[in-house]
Amino acid sequence: MKILVLNGPNLDLLGKREPDIYGHATLNEMMTAVEERAAGLGVEVICEQSNDEGALVTRIGHCSGEVDGIVINPAAYTHTSVALRDAIKACGVPCVEVHLSNIQARESFRHESLTAGACVGQISGFGGMSYSLGLEAVVDYLRRKDTK
Ligand code: DQA
């Protein structure tokens, strides 16, 4: 089983970006932790990041057949991107949305997620652990689907 872990804009700045909200770990450190969790679950992960909405849309749109599931942190595009929502719907690959911060406890413009409705579910507020929880969730979803 292969899972794409996809990161949106400004997440390449983790470590130095608003550490009071996002912590001190870099994206590389967080992705290393996800890779370790993936090894424990016996699955393969591909970790990627882009600041470009179009690149993310294209990546999602073309991942069917290559990966079995997606863990996505769409970052700011969560709250703005109909294109990302449509790409997640269109690709037909089960997707779990994750956020480091609890978006419901922040500014009101972060309370709405345009992308979550296209996903299997959303995990928000557990820092870097949100990625591992998201990975577990999508793997569990896929394994349960396989045994049906
Ligand atoms: C975020 C939350 C978003 O509102 C914000 O724009 C981000 C990061 C998170 O992981 O907490 O860039 O997705």
Side-chain angles (χ1 to χ4, degrees), residues 22-82:
Y22 299 116
H24 292 278
T26 64
L27 185 62
N28 269 346
E29 288 166 346
M30 290 187 195
M31 293 304 101
T32 300
V34 173
E35 281 162 8
E36 284 167 9
R37 188 69 201 106
L41 291 166
V43 302
E44 196 183 326
V45 283
I46 312 169
C47 301
E48 297 178 13
Q49 187 275 334
S50 177
N51 291 323
D52 184 335
E53 183 178 10
L56 293 165
V57 167
T58 303
R59 184 66 180 105
I60 293 166
H62 293 266
C63 75
S64 173
E66 181 196 347
V67 300
D68 304 291
I70 304 171
V71 174
I72 188 168
N73 184 346
Y77 295 141
T78 305
H79 319 294
T80 62
S81 181
V82 175

Side-chain angles (χ1 to χ4, degrees), residues 46-128:
I46 312 169
C47 301
E48 297 178 13
Q49 187 275 334
S50 177
N51 291 323
D52 184 335
E53 183 178 10
L56 293 165
V57 167
T58 303
R59 184 66 180 105
I60 293 166
H62 293 266
C63 75
S64 173
E66 181 196 347
V67 300
D68 304 291
I70 304 171
V71 174
I72 188 168
N73 184 346
Y77 295 141
T78 305
H79 319 294
T80 62
S81 181
V82 175
L84 263 187
R85 180 195 177 98
D86 288 351
I88 294 167
K89 275 258 179 214
C91 76
V93 177
C95 187
V96 170
E97 177 171 312
V98 301
H99 298 282
L100 299 160
S101 62
N102 178 358
I103 57 174
Q104 298 304 326
R106 298 184 61 193
E107 304 98 317
S108 57
F109 67 84
R110 295 185 204 275
H111 295 179
E112 187 181 9
S113 169
L114 297 187
T115 41
C119 294
V120 173
Q122 184 197 64
I123 291 164
S124 176
F126 299 96

